[in-house]
Tab-separated table of all heavy atoms in Angstrom:
chain	number	residue	atom	x	y	z
A	820	LYS	N	-49.935	41.626	1.886
A	820	LYS	CA	-48.872	41.666	0.888
A	820	LYS	C	-47.568	41.086	1.447
A	820	LYS	O	-46.832	40.385	0.739
A	820	LYS	CB	-48.639	43.105	0.423
A	820	LYS	CG	-49.782	43.673	-0.400
A	820	LYS	CD	-49.473	45.088	-0.868
A	820	LYS	CE	-50.613	45.642	-1.730
A	820	LYS	NZ	-50.322	47.031	-2.190
A	821	ALA	N	-47.303	41.368	2.715
A	821	ALA	CA	-46.093	40.827	3.352
A	821	ALA	C	-46.172	39.306	3.450
A	821	ALA	O	-45.171	38.608	3.294
A	821	ALA	CB	-45.907	41.441	4.743
A	822	LYS	N	-47.393	38.787	3.684
A	822	LYS	CA	-47.569	37.336	3.793
A	822	LYS	C	-47.332	36.657	2.443
A	822	LYS	O	-46.735	35.574	2.374
A	822	LYS	CB	-48.964	37.009	4.319
A	822	LYS	CG	-49.155	35.524	4.629
A	822	LYS	CD	-50.420	35.264	5.428
A	822	LYS	CE	-51.656	35.524	4.605
A	822	LYS	NZ	-52.899	35.091	5.296
A	823	ILE	N	-47.780	37.285	1.368
A	823	ILE	CA	-47.529	36.743	0.025
A	823	ILE	C	-46.043	36.725	-0.267
A	823	ILE	O	-45.496	35.743	-0.785
A	823	ILE	CB	-48.282	37.578	-1.033
A	823	ILE	CG1	-49.795	37.411	-0.861
A	823	ILE	CG2	-47.855	37.170	-2.437
A	823	ILE	CD1	-50.621	38.336	-1.745
A	824	MET	N	-45.375	37.815	0.070
A	824	MET	CA	-43.931	37.904	-0.133
A	824	MET	C	-43.205	36.834	0.683
A	824	MET	O	-42.262	36.190	0.218
A	824	MET	CB	-43.443	39.298	0.275
A	824	MET	CG	-41.971	39.541	0.033
A	824	MET	SD	-41.457	41.170	0.652
A	824	MET	CE	-39.735	41.171	0.131
A	825	TRP	N	-43.651	36.633	1.901
A	825	TRP	CA	-43.068	35.641	2.813
A	825	TRP	C	-43.244	34.219	2.250
A	825	TRP	O	-42.309	33.421	2.231
A	825	TRP	CB	-43.739	35.764	4.173
A	825	TRP	CG	-43.222	34.848	5.240
A	825	TRP	CD1	-43.589	33.552	5.455
A	825	TRP	CD2	-42.253	35.160	6.247
A	825	TRP	NE1	-42.923	33.040	6.538
A	825	TRP	CE2	-42.091	34.001	7.043
A	825	TRP	CE3	-41.530	36.289	6.565
A	825	TRP	CZ2	-41.220	33.953	8.131
A	825	TRP	CZ3	-40.655	36.258	7.654
A	825	TRP	CH2	-40.509	35.100	8.418
A	826	ALA	N	-44.472	33.914	1.778
A	826	ALA	CA	-44.751	32.590	1.223
A	826	ALA	C	-43.894	32.322	-0.012
A	826	ALA	O	-43.375	31.210	-0.202
A	826	ALA	CB	-46.233	32.473	0.879
A	827	ASN	N	-43.719	33.334	-0.852
A	827	ASN	CA	-42.868	33.192	-2.039
A	827	ASN	C	-41.421	32.944	-1.653
A	827	ASN	O	-40.707	32.166	-2.305
A	827	ASN	CB	-42.964	34.439	-2.918
A	827	ASN	CG	-44.320	34.576	-3.584
A	827	ASN	OD1	-45.034	33.583	-3.754
A	827	ASN	ND2	-44.684	35.784	-3.951
A	828	MET	N	-40.981	33.613	-0.578
A	828	MET	CA	-39.622	33.417	-0.084
A	828	MET	C	-39.401	31.978	0.360
A	828	MET	O	-38.386	31.349	0.022
A	828	MET	CB	-39.337	34.377	1.062
A	828	MET	CG	-37.977	34.215	1.734
A	828	MET	SD	-37.947	33.004	3.114
A	828	MET	CE	-38.966	33.837	4.325
A	829	LEU	N	-40.347	31.422	1.104
A	829	LEU	CA	-40.222	30.042	1.576
A	829	LEU	C	-40.197	29.061	0.408
A	829	LEU	O	-39.436	28.085	0.409
A	829	LEU	CB	-41.375	29.701	2.523
A	829	LEU	CG	-41.415	30.447	3.866
A	829	LEU	CD1	-42.630	29.997	4.665
A	829	LEU	CD2	-40.138	30.216	4.667
A	830	GLU	N	-41.022	29.319	-0.592
A	830	GLU	CA	-41.067	28.441	-1.770
A	830	GLU	C	-39.746	28.508	-2.542
A	830	GLU	O	-39.227	27.491	-3.003
A	830	GLU	CB	-42.234	28.863	-2.676
A	830	GLU	CG	-42.441	27.974	-3.882
A	830	GLU	CD	-42.871	26.558	-3.523
A	830	GLU	OE1	-43.374	26.362	-2.392
A	830	GLU	OE2	-42.715	25.659	-4.362
A	831	TRP	N	-39.215	29.719	-2.682
A	831	TRP	CA	-37.931	29.891	-3.384
A	831	TRP	C	-36.814	29.154	-2.652
A	831	TRP	O	-35.996	28.475	-3.277
A	831	TRP	CB	-37.585	31.370	-3.495
A	831	TRP	CG	-36.195	31.581	-4.031
A	831	TRP	CD1	-35.798	31.569	-5.338
A	831	TRP	CD2	-35.010	31.821	-3.255
A	831	TRP	NE1	-34.438	31.772	-5.416
A	831	TRP	CE2	-33.931	31.933	-4.162
A	831	TRP	CE3	-34.755	31.947	-1.891
A	831	TRP	CZ2	-32.626	32.165	-3.750
A	831	TRP	CZ3	-33.455	32.180	-1.477
A	831	TRP	CH2	-32.406	32.290	-2.387
A	832	ARG	N	-36.775	29.261	-1.344
A	832	ARG	CA	-35.726	28.596	-0.564
A	832	ARG	C	-35.805	27.075	-0.746
A	832	ARG	O	-34.789	26.395	-0.829
A	832	ARG	CB	-35.859	28.950	0.919
A	832	ARG	CG	-35.574	30.398	1.237
A	832	ARG	CD	-35.593	30.626	2.735
A	832	ARG	NE	-34.464	29.967	3.372
A	832	ARG	CZ	-33.250	30.500	3.507
A	832	ARG	NH1	-33.015	31.722	3.064
A	832	ARG	NH2	-32.280	29.820	4.093
A	833	LYS	N	-37.039	26.569	-0.827
A	833	LYS	CA	-37.227	25.135	-1.002
A	833	LYS	C	-36.726	24.691	-2.375
A	833	LYS	O	-36.004	23.689	-2.495
A	833	LYS	CB	-38.703	24.784	-0.838
A	833	LYS	CG	-39.027	23.316	-1.043
A	833	LYS	CD	-40.517	23.064	-0.908
A	833	LYS	CE	-40.858	21.603	-1.193
A	833	LYS	NZ	-42.328	21.341	-1.076
A	834	ASN	N	-37.095	25.433	-3.421
A	834	ASN	CA	-36.710	25.063	-4.784
A	834	ASN	C	-35.222	25.266	-5.049
A	834	ASN	O	-34.590	24.476	-5.747
A	834	ASN	CB	-37.528	25.872	-5.805
A	834	ASN	CG	-38.994	25.540	-5.746
A	834	ASN	OD1	-39.389	24.440	-5.353
A	834	ASN	ND2	-39.840	26.483	-6.118
Side-chain angles (χ1 to χ4, degrees):
K820 291 182 178 180
K822 187 167 69 172
I823 293 173
M824 183 184 183
W825 182 276
N827 291 337
M828 176 272 292
L829 294 179
E830 184 66 20
W831 172 82
R832 293 186 69 86
K833 178 182 177 181
N834 295 333

